Amino acid sequence: MKSYVILISGRGSNMQALIAAQLPGRCAAVISNRPDAAGLAWAAARGVPTAVVDHKAFASRAAFDAALAAEIERHAPDLVLLAGFMRVLGQDFVKRFDGRMLNIHPSLLPSFPGLHTHAAALAAGVKIHGCTVHFVTPSLDCGPIVVQAAVPVLPGDSEAALAARVLAQEHVVYAQAARWFLEGRIAVIDGHVQLAGAANADGALRVPLD
Ligand code: GRF
């Protein structure tokens, strides 16, 4: 059976959604860079092995990356899922897991990479916002896109309200993307993801609807 490892830094709601989705693979471990990440207790309570690689305990970024990579490799996972993992990973780390590491980002990439995506979307006045699951490559928030979900930006939206609307979709598409990967349906061809056996959906998303 295939296996996956989830990396978190905090709350871990995406991690919970991934584990709850009963993916066709075993969750070999949940690893956090922060000992106080709330998600660790949730995973441990469900019998999922947890580990902490505390970035504050390392003198350099490279030393942290090496320790994190070693902890992941102990489990020999087929897939590494970054789920609210808030450390930028170095080139060597990213190359080591090339083609088998996914991230969830709370915007419709390539719009709004980096932090504070919901505030940026509100400031830009976009009518459609969303989230993206993508392969991790050395440039931040730039790898091949697996799947995106769009949500409307509603009049009077606060950053928190918009974030909650996006987060609900993150939970859906991240589990979907992980499932596709573990089923062997994802190929990256010329830097673009192709999904084997996908229905040719041609529905349009329009916001606002009149
Ligand atoms: C999510 O919005 C994720 O996209 C972003 O950080 C948040 C983490 O939330 N990178 P959680 O820890 O999964 O609840």
Side-chain angles (χ1 to χ4, degrees):
M1 188 187 232
K2 290 195 174 162
S3 70
Y4 60 94
V5 161
I6 305 176
L7 304 190
I8 64 169
S9 296
R11 172 177 64 177
S13 73
N14 276 290
M15 172 212 68
Q16 292 185 23
L18 288 163
I19 291 173
Q22 299 190 294
L23 299 170
R26 185 175 53 87
C27 182
V30 170
I31 304 171
S32 172
N33 65 306
R34 297 181 54 119
D36 59 350
L40 286 171
W42 188 95
R46 276 147 194 88
V48 177
T50 61
V52 174
V53 182
D54 186 347
H55 63 275
K56 292 196 184 116
F58 296 88
S60 68
R61 219 171 249 285
F64 167 70
D65 281 7
L68 181 62
E71 180 59 35
I72 296 169
E73 296 283 23
R74 249 170 26 85
H75 304 281
D78 297 282
L79 176 62
V80 178
L81 296 160
L82 307 186
F85 186 72
M86 302 308 281
R87 301 295 296 174
V88 174
L89 297 162
Q91 295 230 0
D92 289 348
F93 183 99
V94 171
K95 281 190 190 137
R96 189 161 171 170
F97 297 101
D98 184 37
R100 56 183 176 124
M101 182 157 62
L102 297 175
N103 182 45
I104 178 83
H105 180 78
S107 80
L108 291 172
L109 291 172
S111 290
F112 314 126
L115 296 172
H116 311 300
T117 55
H118 309 304
L122 289 172
V126 295
K127 300 296 187 203
I128 300 175
H129 184 42
C131 54
T132 302
V133 180
H134 64 94
F135 281 95
V136 179
T137 57
S139 339
L140 192 66
D141 300 329
C142 258
I145 291 171
V146 178
V147 60
Q148 298 183 300
V151 300
V153 179
L154 300 177
D157 257 350
S158 64
E159 197 178 332
L162 184 55
R165 195 173 306 124
V166 172
L167 188 66
Q169 295 307 313
E170 293 183 34
H171 297 162
V172 176
V173 290
Y174 209 5
Q176 183 68 77
R179 182 177 300 281
W180 288 335
F181 185 95
L182 293 166
E183 288 173 348
R185 289 178 58 190
I186 294 179
V188 181
I189 296 163
D190 294 335
H192 291 171
V193 167
Q194 283 188 17
L195 179 65
N200 184 18
D202 60 357
L205 300 169
R206 294 184 305 278
V207 176
L209 290 173
D210 192 11

